[in-house]
Amino acid sequence: MSDSDSQPVPELEPMLAHSAYVRALARELVYDAALARDVEQETWLVAMANAPRDPAAQRGWLATIVRNLAFKAWRSAARRRTRETVHARAKSAVP
């Protein structure tokens, strides 16, 4: 792979200036401290892989990532609860 094929490495320092905001937003949206930390970490992984085009829009861009990941985590937890409930009913119905 040549240098022209690789994507530029994003500037991390300007993004990391928003770390307290990202952490607070994740905690506000998820309510579970451990899950909020997972959402925060996943946010930084996405941010490192796909830097925003406009550096001035980083805070809003990071907020969008946090919201999307928090919703994904909520959906996953809801599906897990549904599966566990169905499985528990099926297991209790077996004589």
Side-chain angles (χ1 to χ4, degrees):
M1 181 184 300
S2 69
D3 288 337
S4 63
D5 293 338
S6 64
Q7 293 183 344
V9 176
E11 292 284 334
L12 295 181
E13 289 302 318
M15 279 192 280
L16 290 176
H18 301 289
S19 62
Y21 171 71
V22 168
R23 183 175 298 115
L25 183 58
R27 287 183 180 165
E28 182 179 325
L29 294 173
V30 178
Y31 299 113
D32 176 73
L35 187 55
R37 187 68 180 161
D38 290 344
V39 167
E40 179 187 0
Q41 289 174 2
E42 188 75 19
T43 298
W44 295 120
L45 289 173
V46 171
M48 288 188 311
N50 305 301
R53 291 187 180 114
D54 181 8
Q58 286 180 346
R59 185 177 170 111
W61 178 76
L62 289 167
T64 299
I65 295 170
V66 171
R67 281 192 302 270
N68 288 342
L69 291 171
F71 182 66
K72 181 180 174 183
W74 176 83
R75 247 186 4 236
S76 176
R79 288 178 182 151
R80 183 174 36 259
R81 281 191 301 273
T82 301
R83 281 192 310 269
E84 289 172 354
T85 301
V86 168
H87 181 70
R89 286 182 192 156
K91 195 172 187 177
S92 66
V94 175

